[in-house]
Amino acid sequence: MSLTLHFHPLSSFCQKALIALYENDIPFEPHIVNLMDAAESAALKKLWPVGKFPVLRDEARDRTVPESSIIIEYLAQHYPGRSKLVPVDDDLARRTRLSDRFFDLYVNVPVGKVVTDRLRPAGKNDPQGVAEAKALLTTSLAMIERDMAGKADMAGKTWAMGEAFTMADCAAAPALFYANIVMPFAETHKNATAYLGRLKARPSYARVLKEAEPYLAMMPK
């Protein structure tokens, strides 16, 4: 098999890449990496010295592809399928990339800050950093709520970019899923909540969530 994905099912960025693979039924070899294991971490660093996942290895093209957004772009170019995750139109593609970065940087990253702070040793917490992360997440959720509402003369959008499922939705699904655990928003953001419901019902993400279930207990409460 040409493609191997080095990842962990609990990681939001890895889930993002998995959605893209499942969305277009792209065959690949899954390789789960335990970063707490020195040997496994060292093996990952041989592929990508930064030592973060996901990392896609394509033996057929002798390419190592890190970073979830870049992996999705690579798959769209070399392994296209029924879902055009990166639009052909240049302007729409640019706006899709912006939406992708928005969910990564302004939802996923602050969620990660809150979660990782809970894993710090006693006395080593960063309350100011957590407060700033939650403030950013609050702003981002408000923007998503408005964006998914549509305009006064039309119904709300189905997906981040309209009616087509794109890489922006691959980013949004795990970001919003974990955001709703860290800072539940069902009672305050009905449009964002409905959007998350559609994402969870999408077969590609439903499969990702099913595979992540055995690991969810690892999430700090």
Side-chain angles (χ1 to χ4, degrees):
M1 191 171 293
S2 174
L3 299 176
T4 300
L5 185 72
H6 301 264
F7 75 107
H8 193 281
L10 194 61
S11 161
S12 54
F13 287 110
C14 292
Q15 290 185 8
K16 175 181 166 182
L18 284 168
I19 294 169
L21 287 159
Y22 293 155
E23 187 69 24
N24 283 319
D25 297 319
I26 300 171
F28 73 101
E29 182 72 25
H31 180 70
I32 296 177
V33 179
N34 177 9
L35 291 179
M36 302 306 292
D37 182 283
E40 292 187 27
S41 180
L44 180 66
K45 287 179 180 178
K46 286 184 178 180
L47 283 175
W48 179 232
V50 172
K52 292 187 176 183
F53 42 43
V55 177
L56 183 73
R57 176 63 188 169
D58 187 348
E59 294 296 339
R61 291 180 170 78
D62 192 22
R63 292 287 184 270
T64 298
V65 188
E67 299 296 326
S68 57
S69 296
I70 304 304
I71 289 172
I72 294 175
E73 294 257 11
Y74 183 85
L75 293 173
Q77 180 181 1
H78 296 292
Y79 298 88
R82 62 182 179 275
S83 293
K84 305 302 180 185
L85 299 179
V86 181
V88 175
D89 178 81
D90 288 342
D91 185 64
L92 183 56
R94 176 185 55 76
R95 290 190 284 119
T96 300
R97 292 184 179 98
L98 172 60
S99 184
D100 168 81
R101 303 313 298 138
F102 175 88
F103 284 108
D104 277 359
L105 297 175
Y106 308 130
V107 181
N108 217 345
V109 169
V111 166
K113 171 62 179 178
V114 175
V115 171
T116 56
D117 192 78
R118 294 173 181 173
L119 296 172
R120 288 188 173 197
K124 300 295 184 180
N125 299 96
D126 178 17
Q128 179 175 340
V130 169
E132 291 171 352
K134 287 184 175 181
L136 175 56
L137 188 54
T138 297
T139 298
S140 300
L141 287 170
M143 293 173 68
I144 295 165
E145 181 71 8
R146 290 194 299 270
D147 186 56
M148 296 308 297
K151 299 180 180 178
D153 59 344
M154 64 180 68
K157 299 187 297 184
T158 300
W159 306 113
M161 303 309 298
E163 295 308 304
F165 190 91
T166 68
M167 69 184 295
D169 302 294
C170 296
L176 287 174
F177 177 80
Y178 285 119
N180 196 42
I181 293 175
V182 168
M183 201 167 72
F185 53 81
E187 298 299 321
T188 54
H189 298 76
K190 64 177 184 179
N191 296 321
T193 299
Y195 176 41
L196 175 57
R198 292 190 294 275
L199 289 166
K200 290 166 65 176
R202 185 84 175 184
S204 56
Y205 190 46
R207 180 176 175 181
V208 169
L209 286 177
K210 184 68 175 178
E211 293 173 352
E213 279 181 6
Y215 302 93
L216 287 175
M218 296 168 61
M219 279 282 292
K221 306 300 181 185

